[in-house]
Amino acid sequence: LNTDKSLRLNPRNYIRVLSIMNFIEFHNIEIDLSKYCTKDINISDGAMKRVYSVPFKQFSITPSLLSENDYVELSFSKINGLPKIITGSVVQILNDQIIIEMDEILAVNRKYKIKFGPQPSSLRLEMTALRIIEKQNLSNLFFPLQPMKRELNYLKFNWFNKNIEQNEEQMIAVRNIVNETAFPSPYIVFGPPGTGKTSVIIETIAQIYTLKPHSHILVTASSNFACNEITQRLLKILPAQDIYRFFSRSAERYLRELDPQIVSRSNFSTGVHSYPSYDTIYNARIFICTLATAGRLNQASIRQNHFNYLFIDECGSATEACSLVAIAGLVTEDNRFTANIVLSGDPMQLGPIVRSKMAEKMGLGQSMLERLMNNPIYKRDILTKKFNNLLITKLVKNYRSHEAILHLSNKLFYENELIAMAPSKQVNWALNWSQLPQRNFPIIFESVIGTTRRELDSKSSFNLKEVDVVTFYLKQIFNFGINGFKIQQNAIGIISPYRKQCLKLKQMCQRNGWNFIEIGSVEQFQGREKDIIIFSAVKSNSNSVGFLDNEKRFNVALTRAKALLILIGDLQTLQYDQHWHQLIKYCQNGIRGVKFELKPWCDIQIDRMMNAIKTLTLSLQETCGNMNQSRNNLSNSAEKSRE
């Protein structure tokens, strides 16, 4: 545990350490959720078949640690006394109830015993992948050395996306992936916010499809959202009959929300879930599914040399073991890769969600992408300060945000290499808005001193003062527009790192009839963008910012907005984190609301040091007092014994 995370894994311990981390994560979640086991639960019919709601009030302990996709087990005793067990998963967690989806239709007039746990299927798939790696002696391949140089056979391209011709980094990435310059090492597409990472993936797949007509491509991502985005964009430029989208059964509940064209080229094309035949899999030139669903292909024993390319998008937000599910057995044989592997993502944004503190400390939260980027062959050259673009390309042209919104993240996380390239029509329309403290600076930092609260049945915090300020800005935007532009609700995103604050914000929006504003956590907004982002920090009246000190969470929150960023928080509190301190300093002319004075960072560090010394002194005094009391007690006992 004392080893640097980037050095903790090596070829000798790869299988063992990943297995241990996985088991620790699984069993810690299992222990946390076991306390919610409850008898005599009533369920109600939900909006769809096999979907049910379970009110919180039936639990003696509110299940605040539950997450979507957790395992659910309902049971009851049959007439013969034997238990009947039905399994399912958590679909949604609302303010006062849990929505669950079960594998069978249930009677709602019966009482059940309910228990929760982590998804065993995820652990099984990941452990299967690790066993394959061990059996095929593949560990060394995940610690690549400098590959042999290859000739570039494909130099001229007819670009599907003509804009790529204007972007040198994107062209280099496409050319080198098509030419397999990294093989057998994975090729990395390092895509900071708004730099067109998905465009590179789409273009590369289209070029491989065209230039290598016998190739088969497996495209995966950690989320259905990313898989659907890729499928939708590919269907616009390639023949639909050569593209297949493979869904898990759980996608059935949001089938109506999907693009009909995607559905028609999927295993939901008949209206019900089914598994694709071998012919369907082998005939599809491009096969798209989530990382977890790729494990089903392994279980079906798909030919190991069938796929020539494997793309793992959002690789930075998947655990290493999760990424292995799409690799081991599908694109491997004994001691070798059988396909070119392309990893895309951004190690400076949020990584995998890890719920066990011990597993996080061990390094489970470090993705394969982030670990490999610490490998010497993927690092910048010491002399030239450049990446080896035969192995990795960093995209640097940002097509999303106004330069002022991009500036600080660029400075703190991307070596000041990002270039703001978004069209002025997209990012300048909010300038000179009457609410901007500095008319040519599209960031507002509203200084608010509210109260951070928790309800008795929740561990998550909320701040009603900040909800009021969000309401104020939304009314200004919707009632008066911005510079003559009428703003649609779906152009706005509201982010808060606290689940309970998101709930309070949703309730406020519903009361005002704003039902199409997207509201969610930083994690939920990763990979997303909106014209306007409003961020509510929540934490107030404290010298600690809590988990707002996560620099990756900070970076994601800051880089979602295109044209207008409204930050709401207690600056007196937020200044105690170095990144928030720099943001406040950067936004000095964009601050409005409660007046406050920004302390120099060196003074804050001195205050912390003095507080630490004070705490340590009090602790030592208490310890010495206890020791003296114990000594006196022993002395008194000895005197009584002599008497």
Side-chain angles (χ1 to χ4, degrees), residues 192-193 346 348 394 409-410 412-418 555:
D346 178 4
M348 303 314 299
K394 179 182 179 182
S409 280
N410 191 14
L412 295 177
F413 306 113
Y414 300 110
E415 314 280 344
N416 265 329
E417 290 178 332
L418 301 190
N555 183 31

Side-chain angles (χ1 to χ4, degrees), residues 461-499:
S461 301
F462 64 96
N463 186 320
L464 293 179
K465 180 66 175 175
E466 292 188 14
V467 174
D468 290 341
V469 177
V470 173
T471 307
F472 165 78
Y473 278 109
L474 290 176
K475 286 183 176 179
Q476 288 292 315
I477 291 168
F478 292 134
N479 292 343
F480 306 107
I482 296 179
N483 297 333
F485 293 101
K486 183 178 180 181
I487 309 301
Q488 300 298 318
Q489 292 182 31
N490 59 12
I492 301 175
I494 304 176
I495 302 176
S496 179
Y498 292 90
R499 179 191 288 179

Side-chain angles (χ1 to χ4, degrees), residues 47-66:
M48 295 180 64
K49 186 172 64 175
R50 298 186 292 104
V51 174
Y52 305 93
S53 62
V54 185
F56 279 166
K57 63 184 179 182
Q58 298 186 81
F59 295 91
S60 57
I61 303 173
T62 302
S64 56
L65 296 177
L66 272 182

Side-chain angles (χ1 to χ4, degrees), residues 401-408 442-443 558 561-565 586:
S401 302
H402 188 280
E403 186 175 11
I405 294 173
L406 182 65
H407 174 82
L408 190 63
I443 303 176
L558 223 58
K562 294 181 183 180
L564 178 62
L565 176 61
Y586 172 63

Side-chain angles (χ1 to χ4, degrees), residues 216 277-285 287 300-303 306:
H216 291 89
S277 67
Y278 284 101
D279 283 345
T280 299
I281 295 169
Y282 291 139
N283 289 333
R285 291 281 311 281
F287 196 92
S301 300
I302 299 301
R303 289 195 298 260
H306 173 65

Side-chain angles (χ1 to χ4, degrees), residues 40-135:
D40 296 329
I41 285 285
N42 292 308
I43 63 173
S44 303
D45 282 322
M48 295 180 64
K49 186 172 64 175
R50 298 186 292 104
V51 174
Y52 305 93
S53 62
V54 185
F56 279 166
K57 63 184 179 182
Q58 298 186 81
F59 295 91
S60 57
I61 303 173
T62 302
S64 56
L65 296 177
L66 272 182
S67 289
E68 291 180 8
N69 202 41
D70 277 340
Y71 171 82
V72 181
E73 184 178 290
L74 293 177
S75 60
F76 65 93
S77 294
K78 296 192 288 187
I79 296 174
N80 59 9
L82 295 175
K84 167 70 174 175
I85 297 174
I86 310 97
T87 60
S89 60
V90 175
V91 172
Q92 196 176 11
I93 301 165
L94 302 176
N95 183 37
D96 57 354
Q97 61 185 313
I98 309 162
I99 308 299
I100 58 176
E101 182 178 17
M102 306 307 293
D103 296 335
E104 300 177 20
I105 295 174
L106 304 179
V108 296
N109 58 351
R110 175 184 282 132
K111 290 187 179 295
Y112 296 89
K113 178 181 178 181
I114 192 168
K115 62 184 289 188
F116 301 97
Q119 273 294 351
S121 59
S122 299
L123 179 67
R124 280 197 298 268
L125 290 171
E126 291 171 11
M127 296 309 296
T128 297
L130 288 169
R131 283 193 293 271
I132 292 170
I133 289 168
E134 186 171 34
K135 182 181 178 181

Side-chain angles (χ1 to χ4, degrees), residues 127 203 209 347 429 453:
M127 296 309 296
E203 184 69 34
Y209 173 91
W429 55 266
R453 299 178 183 174

